[in-house]
Amino acid sequence: MATVSRSTQCLLLFMTIGVCVVSGNFCYQCADTKVGGDCQTYIKTMARARHYIENPPTSDDEVYEKKKDLYKLFVKNCTLYHQGYPNETLCVIETFEYRGQMNMYMRDCTDGVNFAAEYTDVRRPRADNQTYCERKGDTGTYCVRMCRGNFCNGPFANSASKYLISGILWVIIVLNFISVFQEVHHGM
């Protein structure tokens, strides 16, 4: 099997997803209009999409080939959003709730100034991963959480595998403890 250079992998990824790992200005993108939508629940899919941006797949990666169209839905190249913060990637999560019901949940790129809705509160959102909210009269509450860095508005690429590995280690430790306990108990 022939090996593919990193630049060739990047070019292949650019042709299939429309982004390239070299530029490095990425955020998660998606939107929901209710609680429990894909933008809030497809965490493993988003993490996997990030993994493939950071580690371009080989041409024989069957998992990627089966799901590449799904992965494209959750990744956005944010290079065009560098107006107010040159050479920085700013990502955002915006929510709008009315009477306790989620009407909007959105992950996207931002220039740090413009958002999905007009934000008029004197406390302007900063890229500090804090949530800034304002009441919109009788229509509800609009919140903005802005952060700085690639994919900061969603899961880490290794978060799904990290929990799987820690779970497996926990099971091994428990089984080992049971085995040692049985040996001690039966040995007496």
Side-chain angles (χ1 to χ4, degrees), residues 15-66:
M15 289 171 22
T16 58
I17 293 185
V19 294
C20 189
V21 73
V22 174
S23 64
N25 300 305
F26 300 101
C27 294
Y28 291 108
Q29 71 166 5
C30 54
D32 290 333
T33 56
K34 63 181 182 188
V35 173
D38 296 350
C39 195
Q40 300 160 65
T41 59
Y42 275 38
I43 302 301
K44 287 165 86 172
T45 302
M46 284 186 249
R48 186 52 92 184
R50 176 183 179 168
H51 169 79
Y52 283 123
I53 291 294
E54 294 174 343
N55 305 289
T58 60
S59 59
D60 62 343
D61 189 331
E62 292 178 20
V63 173
Y64 173 75
E65 288 302 318
K66 287 180 187 175

Side-chain angles (χ1 to χ4, degrees), residues 118-133:
E118 184 179 355
Y119 193 92
T120 56
D121 194 299
V122 292
R123 297 176 310 134
R124 293 292 302 167
R126 295 188 311 249
D128 58 1
N129 208 26
Q130 300 296 313
T131 303
Y132 296 85
C133 297

Side-chain angles (χ1 to χ4, degrees), residues 158-170:
N158 64 354
S159 61
S161 60
K162 176 178 73 174
Y163 295 120
L164 177 63
I165 290 170
S166 64
I168 290 170
L169 288 174
W170 179 249

Side-chain angles (χ1 to χ4, degrees), residues 125-164:
R126 295 188 311 249
D128 58 1
N129 208 26
Q130 300 296 313
T131 303
Y132 296 85
C133 297
E134 73 174 349
R135 297 278 305 148
K136 292 287 190 180
D138 292 338
T139 62
T141 304
Y142 174 64
C143 297
V144 174
R145 180 185 307 169
M146 191 168 47
C147 56
R148 182 176 286 126
N150 286 326
F151 297 108
C152 63
N153 65 336
F156 293 104
N158 64 354
S159 61
S161 60
K162 176 178 73 174
Y163 295 120
L164 177 63

